[in-house]
Amino acid sequence: MPSRADDGVTGTWSGTAKGNTPELANGMPFSLTMKLGEDGKLTGSISSLMGAGSIEGTFDKASGQLSFTSTINKAPVVFTGAMRPYEFRD
């Protein structure tokens, strides 16, 4: 069994969030610190210029699909996507 450090998810990740709101139109850098439990439970934290919060979600190793939720400055954040070796895909 691989160690948690080798699970492909646990660690610190950085990216850029884009969307059709004024805050996200040009992209906003963010950082994720994630820890994957043996049951597929995902925990950690997210931080950006808008604030920071804890995350809770799930990761399906077979499909690479992950999803998590957070609350940053009283605003809900929902993320869904796919994790491939060394990259996220939405």
Side-chain angles (χ1 to χ4, degrees), residues 9-63:
V9 177
T10 297
T12 300
W13 298 82
S14 60
T16 303
K18 295 182 180 181
N20 34 348
T21 63
E23 299 86 4
L24 299 176
N26 294 319
M28 179 179 295
F30 66 90
S31 177
L32 285 170
T33 300
M34 298 189 292
K35 181 178 179 183
L36 181 62
E38 291 189 24
D39 58 355
K41 183 177 178 182
L42 190 62
T43 58
S45 61
I46 185 170
S47 64
S48 73
L49 296 174
M50 296 183 77
S54 60
I55 65 169
E56 289 189 14
T58 58
F59 175 72
D60 179 47
K61 186 176 180 178
S63 68

Side-chain angles (χ1 to χ4, degrees), residues 54-84:
S54 60
I55 65 169
E56 289 189 14
T58 58
F59 175 72
D60 179 47
K61 186 176 180 178
S63 68
Q65 294 294 313
L66 64 90
S67 64
F68 64 79
T69 59
S70 183
T71 301
I72 298 176
N73 292 329
K74 299 181 183 179
V77 175
V78 177
F79 179 92
T80 59
M83 186 96 174
R84 303 286 186 258

